[in-house]
Amino acid sequence: MDYWKEDTDCCSWDGVTCDDMGKGHVTGLHLQWNGLNGTIPSNSTLFLLPYLQVLDLSHNPLLKGSLPEANWSNPLHMLDVSYTNFSGRLPDSIGNLKSLTRLDLRHCKFIGLVPANSLGNLTRLRYLDLSVNNFTGNILSSISNLHNLSLLNLSINNFTGNIPLSLSNLHNLSWLDLSVNNFIGEIPENLTQKEMDGDDGGVDGTKDSIARTCRKEYDDA
């Protein structure tokens, strides 16, 4: 960007935050809505900054890129590439980011199977949005272990498989959207759905069968 000058302290650049220890460690890149374009390769050092906690590249629709396949491990709390042209597969290395609390990949061009075992390692996640991509496979069983989730949006993909009863173990979940996929089965009985698009809110495997908006409440009993 034009206002990033090589001969100045990067901690003074717009969108860059550093630690308060005076050591110049970059801890945040807040680059959303910046009109960024070009391609960020998966081996970019951007992903490997050792103290990085926030990486927000969202709402840059001309920005292309892919996520690192290996050697990706830093204290990221937030990864947001939503509303960009990031593409490819979600790599197994995502499971190394065990400090993640927010993962937002909505409205991108990701494809293929989600590495369910790796995703299941992200036990601190509170916000997981994979909507409007072309992900496939069955990931709900691994997600059932993410007990801190408050939002789960998997809508408008090609996910398949049964909806497991263990989904009801997500006691902190306040927003659930599984719509426009190929799931089969029924949402667990102790999940009460509101604002349903359909008559009964059932899940029958057709792409339009699950409500766009599903709010989960727990029975008092």
Side-chain angles (χ1 to χ4, degrees):
M1 289 181 286
D2 292 340
Y3 43 84
W4 283 17
K5 304 296 184 181
E6 291 186 7
D7 57 348
T8 60
D9 182 2
C10 68
C11 294
S12 67
W13 296 349
D14 287 351
V16 178
T17 56
C18 295
D19 59 22
D20 56 2
M21 303 299 292
K23 297 181 179 180
H25 296 146
V26 175
T27 58
L29 293 173
H30 306 264
L31 305 178
Q32 66 274 24
W33 299 98
N34 260 290
L36 301 178
N37 59 66
T39 301
I40 298 177
S42 62
N43 62 353
S44 170
T45 55
L46 184 72
F47 297 113
L48 302 178
L49 295 171
Y51 299 95
L52 193 64
Q53 298 178 20
V54 175
L55 178 56
D56 189 349
L57 302 173
S58 64
H59 296 277
N60 288 291
L62 299 180
L63 183 64
K64 299 178 181 180
S66 55
L67 299 179
E69 293 288 342
N71 300 321
W72 193 14
S73 179
N74 53 23
L76 267 181
H77 295 168
M78 172 183 172
L79 174 61
D80 190 344
V81 297
S82 61
Y83 295 94
T84 67
N85 261 306
F86 266 67
S87 60
R89 297 179 180 273
L90 189 61
D92 285 329
S93 60
I94 195 73
N96 297 333
L97 303 178
K98 295 183 179 180
S99 295
L100 270 185
T101 60
R102 181 185 179 99
L103 178 59
D104 194 344
L105 308 181
R106 60 189 151 143
H107 286 266
C108 291
K109 294 183 178 179
F110 290 104
I111 62 171
L113 295 172
V114 172
N117 291 335
S118 294
L119 195 65
N121 290 332
L122 305 180
T123 56
R124 296 186 182 182
L125 272 182
R126 296 197 297 266
Y127 183 108
L128 177 59
D129 196 333
L130 305 181
S131 62
V132 196
N133 281 284
N134 194 23
F135 287 121
T136 60
N138 185 358
I139 65 169
L140 284 179
S141 294
S142 61
I143 286 176
S144 299
N145 298 321
L146 304 181
H147 299 298
N148 289 311
L149 275 181
S150 60
L151 181 145
L152 174 59
N153 190 352
L154 304 180
S155 64
I156 315 181
N157 278 286
N158 285 298
F159 288 119
T160 58
N162 292 307
I163 297 178
L165 290 175
S166 56
L167 199 65
S168 62
N169 294 331
L170 301 179
H171 298 295
N172 293 310
L173 199 64
S174 59
W175 183 274
L176 171 65
D177 193 342
L178 306 179
S179 61
V180 196
N181 279 287
N182 294 298
F183 293 119
I184 58 175
E186 297 181 356
I187 292 178
E189 291 181 0
N190 66 330
L191 305 185
T192 302
Q193 299 161 67
K194 297 182 178 181
E195 302 179 30
M196 304 297 289
D197 286 344
D199 292 332
D200 59 6
V203 182
D204 63 12
T206 62
K207 286 194 173 183
D208 296 320
S209 64
I210 309 176
R212 284 296 182 89
T213 304
C214 302
R215 292 189 181 277
K216 184 177 81 65
E217 295 180 344
Y218 287 89
D219 295 337
D220 293 331

